[in-house]
Amino acid sequence: MDTTQSTRRTAMKRPGMMWWVVSAMIVFPFLVALVEGYPPSSVFTGEAGNAKFLQSLAIEVFILALYAISYDLILGITGLLSFGHAMFFAVGAYGSGILLKSFGWPFWAMVIGVMIFSVLQALLFAAVLPRVKGIAFALVTLGLSSVFYLVVQSSELSDYAGGDVGLQGVPIPAWIDTNTQRFRMYLLTLAILVIVYLVYQRIVASPTGAVLLAARENESRALGLGYNTFWFKLFALTVSSLTAATAGTLWMMQQPIVTPQVAGLGWTVAALLIILIGGMGTLSGAIVGAAIFRLMSFYLDKFFGGISSVIIGVVYIALVLFLPHGIVGTWRVRSFARKSGYNNLRRVLDETERSDI
């Protein structure tokens, strides 16, 4: 059995560690507030100094994890190399902002609108699946994303998307406005991330997930067994697009401005780096990778300034050289090897005892 698949199923049977982590993240702002001498109630009112800033940083980590896990589903699980995944994120960020600011839609109507946009763009990407595969699919998705990148910067749409400056001044609903309700936004993004992670685990452990993995490993054989892999890939693209668009919407509500950068190739590369750090095809690696990616970039920029990009590049090279399966992937492989070695040792000892008898 594939080691990553077996460990995912084991994790689903024993989810205790995940709930301990979630509980720790809920308590974390209160602990920071207490350390700084603030009462716990200050977390709810948004007055808890550094705790409020760390909540903002954690929200960005949660959003990046959502974005990365959506990319892991189509690349790490399904095997679809897409260079246009940033478009999934940007449609959520720009779509939600434009609907709220320019058209005055209420919040829940905006959510439904973004969901419709995300399904349509998944269908757009899937339309080329029967004709192109591999690197050709990657180039087509890059082309689609590049067109979107140019469109959001065009002068014709500057009244809606803001052109080169970006989309700003979006009216955020008061109940999740990070200026006054940051802890509520913190809990919302954490809850969405946990729900998405559990849903993704269920998908991968299901028969649908087995077909997605089969399409990744040997699509011709999967087709020979009677599975129409196109529909399974369309399903993966749709789920991935919905997740990335959700991340983009949350990003728009967290950030004061949505820049065209989120629609560029660099944003897709960021998702790729995150899952490479954490471990491609592991799902949980996207969360670990997002935390390392965001925290490392923030603190290195803070302490080293312009030279931080060089340090980050060296760290990425070291991770690829010494942890080729990513942090979570390498841990799982070594855990599987240790367990296999322990089982072999027990088998040898049992055979030795029986032979002595």
Side-chain angles (χ1 to χ4, degrees):
M1 179 184 293
D2 182 76
T3 58
T4 57
Q5 186 176 358
S6 65
T7 50
R8 277 196 297 271
R9 291 182 176 178
T10 301
M12 290 189 66
K13 295 177 183 177
R14 297 182 297 174
M17 179 61 71
M18 182 192 72
W19 295 116
W20 278 109
V21 173
V22 172
S23 300
M25 293 306 300
I26 294 174
V27 175
F28 175 70
F30 297 97
L31 293 178
V32 176
L34 288 173
V35 169
E36 295 188 334
Y38 290 91
S41 59
S42 62
V43 174
F44 296 103
T45 58
E47 301 172 357
N50 198 41
K52 186 174 181 179
F53 166 74
L54 291 177
Q55 286 176 61
S56 179
L57 194 59
I59 289 171
E60 292 183 16
V61 171
F62 299 155
I63 294 173
L64 287 173
L66 269 177
Y67 174 51
I69 201 173
S70 69
Y71 195 47
D72 199 22
L73 179 65
I74 61 172
L75 177 59
I77 303 299
T78 311
L80 288 174
L81 177 60
S82 170
F83 287 160
H85 197 69
M87 180 177 169
F88 288 178
F89 185 93
V91 162
Y94 274 100
S96 58
I98 291 172
L99 291 178
L100 288 174
K101 179 182 178 181
S102 300
F103 294 94
W105 284 26
F107 178 79
W108 295 111
M110 176 273 292
V111 170
I112 295 173
V114 170
M115 291 176 64
I116 294 173
F117 293 156
S118 61
V119 171
L120 291 176
Q121 68 176 340
L123 292 174
L124 177 64
F125 276 47
V128 301
L129 276 174
R131 299 170 180 81
V132 294
K133 299 181 185 298
I135 192 63
F137 177 77
L139 294 176
V140 170
T141 56
L142 175 60
L144 293 173
S145 180
S146 299
V147 170
F148 184 84
Y149 177 70
L150 295 174
V151 167
V152 295
Q153 296 182 84
S154 63
S155 58
E156 290 80 1
L157 294 179
S158 60
D159 292 338
Y160 297 98
D164 295 336
V165 177
L167 180 63
Q168 51 187 316
V170 179
I172 306 299
W175 65 278
I176 50 172
D177 189 343
T178 55
N179 292 321
T180 57
Q181 299 292 339
R182 187 163 301 182
F183 185 62
R184 188 175 291 176
M185 183 66 172
Y186 177 88
L187 293 179
L188 176 65
T189 52
L190 177 60
I192 292 175
L193 176 59
V194 171
I195 292 170
V196 167
Y197 175 69
L198 292 175
V199 169
Y200 273 42
Q201 274 197 329
R202 181 61 62 184
I203 290 174
V204 174
S206 69
T208 298
V211 177
L212 293 176
L213 292 169
R216 180 194 69 185
E217 298 297 330
N218 192 330
E219 186 173 4
S220 298
R221 185 170 179 82
L223 290 169
L225 292 174
Y227 295 104
N228 189 338
T229 56
F230 168 79
W231 295 108
F232 291 92
K233 290 180 179 180
L234 175 60
F235 170 78
L237 280 170
T238 303
V239 174
S240 175
S241 179
L242 285 167
T243 306
T246 301
T249 301
L250 293 171
W251 184 268
M252 183 278 301
M253 291 187 289
Q254 162 68 11
Q255 300 291 325
I257 182 172
V258 179
T259 64
Q261 175 189 1
V262 299
L265 178 61
W267 203 245
T268 298
V269 173
L272 179 60
L273 286 174
I274 289 172
I275 61 176
L276 286 176
I277 292 170
M280 190 177 297
T282 62
L283 298 184
S284 58
I287 302 175
V288 174
I292 293 175
F293 177 85
R294 184 66 188 98
L295 296 176
M296 182 173 63
S297 61
F298 172 77
Y299 284 106
L300 287 179
D301 284 343
K302 179 180 179 180
F303 292 111
F304 296 98
I307 199 174
S308 63
S309 58
V310 177
I311 300 174
I312 292 174
V314 172
V315 172
Y316 289 151
I317 294 172
L319 285 170
V320 172
L321 289 177
F322 299 104
L323 297 175
H325 300 288
I327 295 173
V328 175
T330 302
W331 172 259
R332 289 181 174 180
V333 169
R334 292 180 178 177
S335 297
F336 182 80
R338 287 194 297 268
K339 184 177 180 180
S340 178
Y342 175 76
N343 291 336
N344 290 335
L345 179 61
R346 288 296 302 270
R347 179 175 54 81
V348 171
L349 291 176
D350 291 342
E351 291 177 354
T352 303
E353 288 178 0
R354 286 196 295 269
S355 62
D356 292 340
I357 296 174

